[in-house]
Amino acid sequence: MLKVEPVAASRSEQAALTRRTRLVGNAPDYPGRVVMAREQWRLLKPSKWLKTLRGKLADSCSGLERCMYCEDSRADEIEHRRPKKLYPDDAFSWANWLYACGECNGVHVKGDRFAVIIQNRCVEVSRSDGGPVAPPQAGLDALLDLRGEDPMDFIWLNLESGYFTPDCDDRQSERYLRAEWTITHLCLNSRSRLIRARRNAYVMFSTLLRDYVEQRSAVTDAQVAQRKRTEISRVLKEASHRTVWEEMKRQRAMHQELQALFAAAPETLDW
Ligand SMILES: [Zn+2]
Protein backbone atom coordinates (compact mmCIF):
# COMPACT_ATOMS: atom_id res chain seq x y z
CA MET A 1 0.00 0.00 0.00
CA LEU A 2 1.10 3.51 -0.75
CA LYS A 3 0.23 6.91 0.61
CA VAL A 4 -2.45 8.64 -1.43
CA GLU A 5 -1.19 11.95 -2.73
CA PRO A 6 -3.27 14.88 -1.43
CA VAL A 7 -6.09 15.89 -3.73
CA ALA A 8 -8.65 18.57 -2.87
CA ALA A 9 -12.37 18.56 -3.50
CA SER A 10 -13.53 21.65 -5.39
CA ARG A 11 -15.70 24.21 -3.64
CA SER A 12 -18.93 22.83 -5.17
CA GLU A 13 -17.94 19.22 -4.43
CA GLN A 14 -17.14 20.15 -0.85
CA ALA A 15 -20.46 21.99 -0.58
CA ALA A 16 -22.33 18.86 -1.71
CA LEU A 17 -20.49 16.79 0.90
CA THR A 18 -21.06 19.36 3.64
CA ARG A 19 -24.79 19.46 2.86
CA ARG A 20 -25.07 15.75 3.47
CA THR A 21 -22.86 15.86 6.57
CA ARG A 22 -25.19 18.52 7.95
CA LEU A 23 -28.25 16.35 7.26
CA VAL A 24 -26.61 13.48 9.15
CA GLY A 25 -25.65 15.81 12.00
CA ASN A 26 -29.22 17.10 12.29
CA ALA A 27 -30.44 13.72 13.50
CA PRO A 28 -31.30 13.92 17.21
CA ASP A 29 -28.93 11.24 18.46
CA TYR A 30 -26.22 8.77 17.47
CA PRO A 31 -28.57 5.96 16.33
CA GLY A 32 -30.45 8.56 14.28
CA ARG A 33 -27.20 9.70 12.65
CA VAL A 34 -26.33 6.10 11.78
CA VAL A 35 -29.70 5.67 10.06
CA MET A 36 -29.42 9.04 8.32
CA ALA A 37 -25.91 8.31 7.02
CA ARG A 38 -27.08 4.98 5.61
CA GLU A 39 -30.14 6.62 4.03
CA GLN A 40 -28.21 9.52 2.54
CA TRP A 41 -25.69 7.10 1.10
CA ARG A 42 -28.46 4.92 -0.37
CA LEU A 43 -30.15 7.95 -1.89
CA LEU A 44 -26.98 9.24 -3.53
CA LYS A 45 -27.67 9.52 -7.21
CA PRO A 46 -25.13 9.64 -10.01
CA SER A 47 -24.32 13.32 -10.20
CA LYS A 48 -21.59 15.49 -11.63
CA TRP A 49 -19.92 16.19 -8.28
CA LEU A 50 -19.89 12.50 -7.34
CA LYS A 51 -18.53 11.54 -10.73
CA THR A 52 -15.67 14.02 -10.52
CA LEU A 53 -14.82 12.92 -6.97
CA ARG A 54 -14.78 9.30 -8.15
CA GLY A 55 -12.48 10.40 -10.94
CA LYS A 56 -10.16 12.10 -8.47
CA LEU A 57 -10.00 8.96 -6.36
CA ALA A 58 -9.36 6.81 -9.44
CA ASP A 59 -6.55 9.15 -10.52
CA SER A 60 -5.04 8.85 -7.04
CA CYS A 61 -4.75 5.08 -7.35
CA SER A 62 -1.41 3.58 -8.29
CA GLY A 63 -0.87 1.79 -11.58
CA LEU A 64 -3.94 1.60 -13.77
CA GLU A 65 -6.58 2.44 -11.16
CA ARG A 66 -5.47 -0.34 -8.85
CA CYS A 67 -7.23 -0.75 -5.50
CA MET A 68 -5.61 1.39 -2.81
CA TYR A 69 -5.52 -1.59 -0.45
CA CYS A 70 -4.50 -4.68 -2.44
CA GLU A 71 -3.00 -2.89 -5.49
CA ASP A 72 -4.07 -5.92 -7.48
CA SER A 73 -7.65 -5.47 -8.71
CA ARG A 74 -9.31 -2.51 -10.32
CA ALA A 75 -10.71 0.02 -7.85
CA ASP A 76 -14.32 0.88 -8.54
CA GLU A 77 -15.95 1.41 -5.14
CA ILE A 78 -15.81 4.34 -2.74
CA GLU A 79 -14.56 2.88 0.51
CA HIS A 80 -15.01 4.58 3.86
CA ARG A 81 -11.85 4.07 5.90
CA ARG A 82 -13.90 4.70 9.01
CA PRO A 83 -17.08 2.71 8.32
CA LYS A 84 -20.18 4.88 8.03
CA LYS A 85 -22.07 2.35 10.16
CA LEU A 86 -19.78 3.24 13.09
CA TYR A 87 -18.80 6.80 12.23
CA PRO A 88 -21.84 8.35 10.51
CA ASP A 89 -20.38 11.86 10.84
CA ASP A 90 -17.53 10.80 8.55
CA ALA A 91 -19.74 9.23 5.87
CA PHE A 92 -19.45 12.31 3.66
CA SER A 93 -16.00 13.39 4.75
CA TRP A 94 -13.75 13.60 1.68
CA ALA A 95 -10.67 12.71 3.72
CA ASN A 96 -12.37 9.47 4.78
CA TRP A 97 -12.91 8.26 1.22
CA LEU A 98 -10.64 5.81 -0.54
CA TYR A 99 -11.03 3.83 -3.74
CA ALA A 100 -11.01 0.06 -3.42
CA CYS A 101 -11.95 -3.09 -5.28
CA GLY A 102 -15.12 -4.99 -4.40
CA GLU A 103 -13.17 -7.75 -2.68
CA CYS A 104 -11.28 -5.43 -0.33
CA ASN A 105 -14.37 -3.36 0.38
CA GLY A 106 -16.54 -6.45 0.90
CA VAL A 107 -17.52 -8.31 4.05
CA HIS A 108 -14.82 -10.97 3.68
CA VAL A 109 -12.00 -8.42 3.89
CA LYS A 110 -12.62 -4.99 5.39
CA GLY A 111 -16.38 -4.68 5.57
CA ASP A 112 -17.59 -2.66 8.55
CA ARG A 113 -14.94 -3.90 10.98
CA PHE A 114 -12.80 -1.38 12.78
CA ALA A 115 -10.54 -1.14 15.80
CA VAL A 116 -8.91 1.50 17.95
CA ILE A 117 -5.78 1.46 20.08
CA ILE A 118 -6.49 2.02 23.77
CA GLN A 119 -3.65 1.79 26.30
CA ASN A 120 -1.42 -0.16 23.92
CA ARG A 121 -4.12 -2.65 23.09
CA CYS A 122 -6.01 -3.09 19.88
CA VAL A 123 -9.74 -2.99 20.71
CA GLU A 124 -12.22 -4.03 18.05
CA VAL A 125 -15.18 -1.64 17.94
CA SER A 126 -17.17 -3.39 15.22
CA ARG A 127 -20.91 -3.69 15.80
CA SER A 128 -22.79 -6.87 15.11
CA ASP A 129 -26.19 -6.71 13.45
CA GLY A 130 -28.85 -6.42 16.12
CA GLY A 131 -26.35 -5.20 18.74
CA PRO A 132 -26.88 -1.95 20.67
CA VAL A 133 -26.29 1.10 18.49
CA ALA A 134 -23.81 3.08 20.57
CA PRO A 135 -20.81 5.17 19.52
CA PRO A 136 -17.57 3.18 19.30
CA GLN A 137 -15.02 3.53 22.08
CA ALA A 138 -12.69 6.46 21.55
CA GLY A 139 -9.08 5.74 20.70
CA LEU A 140 -6.45 6.00 18.02
CA ASP A 141 -7.61 4.43 14.75
CA ALA A 142 -5.86 1.10 14.30
CA LEU A 143 -6.23 1.15 10.53
CA LEU A 144 -3.61 3.32 8.87
CA ASP A 145 -4.92 6.41 7.10
CA LEU A 146 -3.62 6.26 3.53
CA ARG A 147 -4.85 9.81 2.92
CA GLY A 148 -2.70 11.20 5.72
CA GLU A 149 -0.05 8.64 6.61
CA ASP A 150 2.62 6.82 4.64
CA PRO A 151 2.14 3.08 5.21
CA MET A 152 5.81 2.56 4.37
CA ASP A 153 6.61 4.31 7.66
CA PHE A 154 4.85 1.43 9.41
CA ILE A 155 5.09 -1.62 7.15
CA TRP A 156 7.97 -3.47 5.52
CA LEU A 157 7.72 -5.78 2.52
CA ASN A 158 9.97 -8.81 2.26
CA LEU A 159 10.72 -8.69 -1.47
CA GLU A 160 11.64 -12.38 -1.74
CA SER A 161 8.71 -13.81 0.22
CA GLY A 162 6.07 -11.23 -0.74
CA TYR A 163 4.89 -10.90 2.89
CA PHE A 164 4.34 -7.65 4.76
CA THR A 165 5.50 -7.22 8.38
CA PRO A 166 5.33 -4.32 10.84
CA ASP A 167 8.47 -2.23 10.43
CA CYS A 168 8.99 -2.09 14.18
CA ASP A 169 10.22 -4.50 16.85
CA ASP A 170 8.31 -3.18 19.85
CA ARG A 171 5.17 -5.33 19.82
CA GLN A 172 3.50 -3.15 22.45
CA SER A 173 3.94 0.07 20.53
CA GLU A 174 1.11 1.87 18.74
CA ARG A 175 3.19 1.74 15.59
CA TYR A 176 3.48 -2.04 15.68
CA LEU A 177 -0.15 -2.62 16.64
CA ARG A 178 -1.47 -0.37 13.89
CA ALA A 179 0.76 -1.97 11.26
CA GLU A 180 -0.24 -5.46 12.36
CA TRP A 181 -3.94 -4.64 12.45
CA THR A 182 -3.78 -3.06 9.00
CA ILE A 183 -1.97 -6.06 7.47
CA THR A 184 -4.27 -8.58 9.14
CA HIS A 185 -7.52 -6.68 8.74
CA LEU A 186 -6.97 -6.11 5.02
CA CYS A 187 -5.89 -9.75 4.55
CA LEU A 188 -2.72 -8.57 2.84
CA ASN A 189 -0.81 -11.71 3.90
CA SER A 190 -3.68 -14.19 3.95
CA ARG A 191 -4.68 -13.95 0.31
CA SER A 192 -2.11 -16.21 -1.35
CA ARG A 193 -2.88 -14.67 -4.74
CA LEU A 194 -1.59 -11.32 -3.49
CA ILE A 195 1.61 -12.81 -2.11
CA ARG A 196 2.35 -14.53 -5.41
CA ALA A 197 1.49 -11.37 -7.32
CA ARG A 198 3.93 -9.34 -5.20
CA ARG A 199 6.68 -11.90 -5.77
CA ASN A 200 5.93 -11.86 -9.50
CA ALA A 201 5.99 -8.06 -9.49
CA TYR A 202 9.47 -8.16 -7.94
CA VAL A 203 10.70 -10.40 -10.76
CA MET A 204 8.98 -8.26 -13.38
CA PHE A 205 10.24 -4.92 -12.02
CA SER A 206 13.79 -6.29 -11.67
CA THR A 207 13.74 -7.59 -15.25
CA LEU A 208 12.44 -4.28 -16.59
CA LEU A 209 15.05 -2.35 -14.63
CA ARG A 210 17.79 -4.63 -15.98
CA ASP A 211 16.48 -4.16 -19.54
CA TYR A 212 16.37 -0.44 -19.05
CA VAL A 213 19.97 -0.27 -17.88
CA GLU A 214 21.04 -2.45 -20.82
CA GLN A 215 19.17 -0.20 -23.26
CA ARG A 216 20.81 2.79 -21.69
CA SER A 217 24.31 1.57 -22.51
CA ALA A 218 23.48 -0.27 -25.75
CA VAL A 219 25.24 0.92 -28.87
CA THR A 220 22.21 1.02 -31.16
CA ASP A 221 20.06 3.52 -32.97
CA ALA A 222 19.61 6.34 -30.43
CA GLN A 223 15.95 6.90 -31.29
CA VAL A 224 15.09 3.21 -31.00
CA ALA A 225 16.87 2.98 -27.66
CA GLN A 226 15.06 6.06 -26.39
CA ARG A 227 11.70 4.65 -27.48
CA LYS A 228 12.38 1.40 -25.64
CA ARG A 229 13.42 3.23 -22.50
CA THR A 230 10.24 5.34 -22.59
CA GLU A 231 8.20 2.18 -23.02
CA ILE A 232 9.84 0.47 -20.04
CA SER A 233 9.27 3.55 -17.92
CA ARG A 234 5.56 3.63 -18.84
CA VAL A 235 5.05 -0.09 -18.14
CA LEU A 236 6.71 0.31 -14.75
CA LYS A 237 4.57 3.29 -13.77
CA GLU A 238 1.33 1.62 -14.85
CA ALA A 239 2.05 -1.76 -13.27
CA SER A 240 0.12 -3.25 -10.37
CA HIS A 241 1.75 -3.66 -6.95
CA ARG A 242 3.68 -0.43 -7.09
CA THR A 243 4.62 -0.90 -3.44
CA VAL A 244 7.05 -3.55 -4.64
CA TRP A 245 8.81 -0.95 -6.78
CA GLU A 246 8.91 1.55 -3.92
CA GLU A 247 10.35 -1.13 -1.64
CA MET A 248 12.99 -2.01 -4.25
CA LYS A 249 14.14 1.59 -4.16
CA ARG A 250 14.04 1.76 -0.36
CA GLN A 251 15.84 -1.56 0.14
CA ARG A 252 18.35 -1.27 -2.68
CA ALA A 253 21.34 -1.02 -0.33
CA MET A 254 20.47 -4.49 0.95
CA HIS A 255 20.48 -6.07 -2.51
CA GLN A 256 23.72 -5.88 -4.44
CA GLU A 257 22.20 -6.15 -7.90
CA LEU A 258 19.49 -3.57 -7.19
CA GLN A 259 22.08 -1.20 -5.81
CA ALA A 260 24.13 -1.53 -9.00
CA LEU A 261 21.11 -1.14 -11.32
CA PHE A 262 19.74 1.95 -9.60
CA ALA A 263 23.24 3.43 -9.49
CA ALA A 264 23.58 2.85 -13.24
CA ALA A 265 20.26 4.59 -13.95
CA PRO A 266 19.62 7.02 -11.06
CA GLU A 267 16.74 8.67 -12.92
CA THR A 268 14.67 5.53 -12.24
CA LEU A 269 14.62 6.46 -8.55
CA ASP A 270 12.13 9.19 -9.52
CA TRP A 271 9.73 6.77 -11.19
ZN1 LIG B 1 -8.43 -4.55 -3.36
Side-chain angles (χ1 to χ4, degrees):
M1 285 186 307
L2 297 171
K3 185 179 180 191
V4 177
E5 290 305 316
V7 54
S10 70
R11 193 180 292 194
S12 61
E13 290 155 2
Q14 190 52 58
L17 292 167
T18 304
R19 242 187 339 268
R20 280 154 185 84
T21 300
R22 206 174 292 135
L23 282 172
V24 173
N26 285 344
D29 51 18
Y30 175 78
R33 295 204 299 280
V34 171
V35 171
M36 186 58 89
R38 189 175 59 227
E39 277 305 290
Q40 285 300 313
W41 190 254
R42 195 176 62 81
L43 292 171
L44 263 194
K45 291 194 169 63
S47 52
K48 196 176 167 211
W49 68 269
L50 192 59
K51 193 177 169 196
T52 53
L53 284 183
R54 274 183 178 276
K56 285 179 181 181
L57 288 172
D59 290 345
S60 303
C61 292
S62 63
L64 294 175
E65 297 183 15
R66 295 300 94 182
C67 169
M68 289 175 178
Y69 288 147
C70 70
E71 302 182 293
D72 192 73
S73 308
R74 185 180 171 219
D76 58 0
E77 294 184 10
I78 294 172
E79 131 64 12
H80 295 83
R81 186 181 69 86
R82 289 176 139 198
K84 55 186 177 301
K85 180 179 175 180
L86 297 169
Y87 300 93
D89 300 304
D90 291 327
F92 296 97
S93 161
W94 172 233
N96 191 41
W97 286 14
L98 296 170
Y99 221 35
C101 69
E103 185 181 13
C104 285
N105 196 26
V107 290
H108 297 299
V109 180
K110 180 169 176 289
D112 288 329
R113 289 176 56 219
F114 207 70
V116 293
I117 309 289
I118 301 172
Q119 293 178 344
N120 295 90
R121 267 191 333 113
C122 201
V123 178
E124 196 153 337
V125 293
S126 313
R127 186 186 309 132
S128 56
D129 287 336
V133 182
Q137 277 182 272
L140 179 67
D141 292 352
L143 186 65
L144 296 175
D145 176 7
L146 305 189
R147 297 281 298 265
E149 296 174 305
D150 186 346
M152 286 182 68
D153 290 340
F154 296 80
I155 293 172
W156 180 269
L157 173 66
N158 183 313
L159 288 167
E160 272 87 17
S161 73
Y163 280 86
F164 286 114
T165 51
D167 187 17
C168 169
D169 292 328
D170 181 359
R171 288 170 170 262
Q172 304 301 315
S173 67
E174 285 176 352
R175 193 160 155 238
Y176 183 96
L177 292 170
R178 296 185 70 208
E180 189 185 43
W181 167 265
T182 300
I183 294 166
T184 308
H185 182 45
L186 298 177
C187 304
L188 297 178
N189 283 347
S190 55
R191 287 183 272 177
S192 59
R193 176 173 54 84
L194 297 182
I195 295 160
R196 284 172 59 186
R198 287 193 286 264
R199 285 204 295 252
N200 292 347
Y202 181 38
V203 173
M204 192 262 287
F205 287 138
S206 303
T207 306
L208 284 174
L209 182 57
R210 219 174 285 123
D211 283 357
Y212 179 85
V213 171
E214 277 171 19
Q215 287 297 328
R216 211 170 173 272
S217 52
V219 186
T220 57
D221 182 304
Q223 274 191 331
V224 172
Q226 177 59 41
R227 200 162 53 240
K228 282 188 178 169
R229 290 203 300 272
T230 307
E231 202 169 73
I232 290 172
S233 156
R234 180 183 54 75
V235 171
L236 255 159
K237 287 172 185 168
E238 292 183 352
S240 305
H241 298 281
R242 282 280 301 180
T243 297
V244 174
W245 175 251
E246 293 301 326
E247 287 284 10
M248 284 169 63
K249 292 194 282 181
R250 168 160 79 165
Q251 299 179 28
R252 64 188 186 280
M254 300 165 60
H255 300 263
Q256 211 175 0
E257 192 198 2
L258 286 184
Q259 178 80 309
L261 289 171
F262 281 116
E267 68 275 20
T268 57
L269 292 169
D270 293 328
W271 292 357

